[in-house]
Amino acid sequence: MAELNEINPEFHGFFAHLREGRVAFPHCNACGKLHWYPMKICPHCQSSDIDWKPMRGAGELWSWTVVRHPFSPAYNDKVPYVVAMVTFAEAPGIRLIANIEDVPLDSLKIGMSLELAQPNSNEAMPQVLFRPSKALKAA
Ligand SMILES: [Zn+2]
């Protein structure tokens, strides 16, 4: 398990929000744009006046792959697992790499609604883990 001091400082805000069950992206107060991944200066205007904008809406599945071969013995009991790119309507152009759990592989669908799977975490660097939105599952 990673310790906070092992994490690139630019990512501290991202994981702080994630620990509280939110995805947030760096937001530039000078030009108003979001960017990903986190940087000390805005890649759009070079301002260093950056804060974090939490996403309020659900994520959406942009694309994915299924990993079936473990890259190390530690993953022997984790395969197959899904590695996905998740987008947010409020953050056009940003694609977040994440895992998806609790979903039959043959039900994955581009555009499906996703929510964070772990609403709270005590880990310094929680896994970026989504699952299908409950509203969608109930439908
Ligand atoms: Zn900017």
Side-chain angles (χ1 to χ4, degrees):
M1 190 182 302
E3 300 296 326
L4 195 57
N5 63 5
E6 297 175 83
I7 301 170
N8 184 325
E10 285 90 343
F11 280 81
H12 283 187
F14 176 76
F15 287 110
H17 281 280
L18 196 61
R19 283 193 296 274
E20 296 178 1
R22 294 183 300 272
V23 170
F25 294 118
H27 168 263
C28 174
N29 288 314
C31 73
K33 294 181 179 173
L34 299 168
H35 60 270
W36 185 252
Y37 56 90
M39 297 178 217
K40 286 180 181 164
I41 61 167
C42 171
H44 305 291
C45 76
Q46 285 73 55
S47 170
S48 60
D49 185 6
I50 294 170
D51 61 12
W52 291 87
K53 182 180 179 187
M55 299 293 101
R56 305 200 183 283
E60 194 171 288
L61 182 56
W62 191 81
S63 187
W64 75 93
T65 189
V66 178
V67 177
R68 297 177 189 278
H69 296 280
F71 290 102
S72 84
Y75 285 81
N76 281 350
D77 62 346
K78 301 195 187 310
V79 291
Y81 61 91
V82 178
V83 178
M85 298 176 89
V86 179
T87 59
F88 295 85
E90 303 151 85
I94 292 178
R95 295 174 198 135
L96 180 65
I97 301 292
N99 295 116
I100 301 178
E101 69 166 17
D102 198 19
V103 61
L105 297 180
D106 62 0
S107 72
L108 290 165
K109 192 173 172 187
I110 287 172
M112 73 189 295
S113 182
L114 300 169
E115 64 185 16
L116 279 175
Q118 43 190 18
N120 295 100
S121 173
N122 294 323
E123 293 181 41
M125 200 171 82
Q127 184 181 9
V128 185
L129 184 62
F130 285 84
R131 66 185 174 208
S133 293
K134 286 197 172 91
L136 189 74
K137 285 168 115 178

